[in-house]
Amino acid sequence: MVYEEVKKAVVVVFGALLNAVGLNLFMIPADVYASGFTGIAQLLSSVIKEYTPLYISTGVLLLLLNIPVAILGWQKVGKSFTLYSVLSVAATTLFLSIVPLYPLSEDILLNAVFGGVIVAIGVGITLKYGASTGGLDIVAMILSRMKDKPVGTYFFILNGIIIFTAGLLYGWEKALYTLVTLYASTRVIDAIHTRHEKLTAMIITKKADDLKQAIHAKMVRGITMVPAKGAFTNEQKDMLMIVITRYELYDLEKIIKEVDPKAFTNIIQTTGIFGFFRKE
């Protein structure tokens, strides 16, 4: 248990380092903006620097933006999830002050693509290990529970605001390159983890009862059991069907590997749910 928590913390810190590298070596020098709260912090830092005598770094602004979100997350989302989100944001802020703000290329397209990919790798591995980079993830989860709408709506709205503001302030060319960054980031995150908020897992196993008990011990989710039979072997098995959020995928994978490593599991996108689905 301790080993798993330490491993998750190490992955979160490494993901934060990748975020800082992508930002300071590629995106910030090129005035290309990331998605979510990181992009808002970049925009605010640029505006404050240009229109006031003050300068506040992206890392500091990112930390300040996440303080009220962390408090809300602690109350509404969960303590463990929020703690790892806070660790991610704090580590990102630290690494942004350590990694030099140095452009590796003068080509804005290279900066947009490589910056987006590197940041997305950091976000993707953080999500894959059941943690979050904070900010918009927590806000979207809270709003989704209040309004019962998919979190993708809130990602789209906030990223749209970032792109539109960047276009108004610094020219539409920069806004278009920001779109390139967002596209590259989304594709990489999809490849490493998933952007879908809800997922359906269909697990074919011979150890249905053991697996059911292990899942219920860790997660509060309903499970549907369906008798199944191998078409080639004629072996009697069971299929467990369970709907989860993307943040629970890591825990489910770990449970399956521990209880029945030979189980066949199919994870698919869930586009909608009718009926009761626990949100708290």
Side-chain angles (χ1 to χ4, degrees):
M1 183 66 179
V2 174
Y3 170 75
E4 289 294 333
E5 296 301 323
V6 170
K7 183 170 72 171
K8 187 185 290 189
V10 170
V11 169
V12 168
V13 171
F14 180 66
L17 175 60
L18 291 178
N19 288 341
V21 169
L23 287 166
N24 275 4
L25 299 186
F26 295 96
M27 296 170 68
I28 293 177
D31 287 328
V32 174
Y33 299 94
S35 63
F37 272 35
T38 305
I40 292 176
Q42 282 181 265
L43 270 175
L44 287 175
S45 180
S46 299
V47 169
I48 292 170
K49 182 180 179 181
E50 187 166 336
Y51 296 101
T52 72
L54 303 174
Y55 171 72
I56 305 177
S57 69
T58 299
V60 171
L61 286 170
L62 181 63
L63 184 63
L64 293 175
L65 286 171
N66 273 280
I67 289 174
V69 173
I71 295 171
L72 274 176
W74 186 272
Q75 296 172 344
K76 301 288 186 180
V77 177
K79 296 179 180 179
S80 177
F81 182 83
T82 305
L83 282 174
Y84 282 111
S85 299
V86 170
L87 173 62
S88 176
V89 173
T92 300
T93 301
L94 175 64
F95 287 131
L96 281 171
S97 66
I98 295 174
V99 176
L101 193 64
Y102 179 77
L104 294 182
S105 171
E106 297 298 324
D107 190 316
I108 189 171
L109 182 59
L110 287 177
N111 284 318
V113 173
F114 279 93
V117 168
I118 292 171
V119 168
I121 292 173
V123 173
I125 61 173
T126 302
L127 289 172
K128 188 174 180 66
Y129 277 81
S132 147
T133 53
L136 190 55
D137 270 346
I138 294 176
V139 172
M141 286 180 70
I142 294 171
L143 289 174
S144 179
R145 291 176 179 183
M146 290 170 58
K147 302 293 185 179
D148 200 22
K149 292 182 179 179
V151 296
T153 303
Y154 304 109
F155 278 95
F156 177 79
I157 291 171
L158 186 56
N159 290 334
I161 292 171
I162 292 171
I163 293 167
F164 184 73
T165 306
L168 283 178
L169 294 177
Y170 303 110
W172 295 107
E173 185 180 75
K174 294 291 176 67
L176 292 175
Y177 281 117
T178 297
L179 269 176
V180 172
T181 297
L182 296 180
Y183 176 77
S185 298
T186 301
R187 294 305 296 265
V188 172
I189 291 171
D190 284 347
I192 296 174
H193 189 246
T194 177
R195 267 292 185 188
H196 307 309
E197 171 61 13
K198 293 183 179 69
L199 307 165
T200 297
M202 294 181 290
I203 311 160
I204 310 297
T205 177
K206 292 181 181 179
K207 301 180 179 179
D209 290 333
D210 294 339
L211 198 52
K212 178 182 67 174
Q213 291 176 8
I215 292 172
H216 281 159
K218 181 74 175 180
M219 303 160 63
V220 186
R221 290 289 172 215
I223 302 172
T224 300
M225 293 182 62
V226 181
K229 184 179 181 180
F232 180 74
T233 62
N234 288 320
E235 287 184 309
Q236 294 294 332
K237 301 180 180 181
D238 288 291
M239 181 177 74
L240 306 184
M241 188 173 72
I242 177 173
V243 180
I244 58 174
T245 66
R246 65 174 176 164
Y247 305 103
E248 295 169 314
L249 181 58
Y250 172 74
D251 288 331
L252 182 63
E253 288 177 347
K254 190 167 64 172
I255 291 168
I256 295 171
K257 287 177 182 177
E258 290 174 356
V259 177
D260 186 7
K262 295 182 179 180
F264 176 81
T265 305
N266 184 23
I267 307 292
I268 59 175
Q269 175 191 0
T270 300
T271 56
I273 293 175
F274 298 97
F276 177 73
F277 181 79
R278 182 180 175 273
K279 298 176 184 177
E280 296 300 328

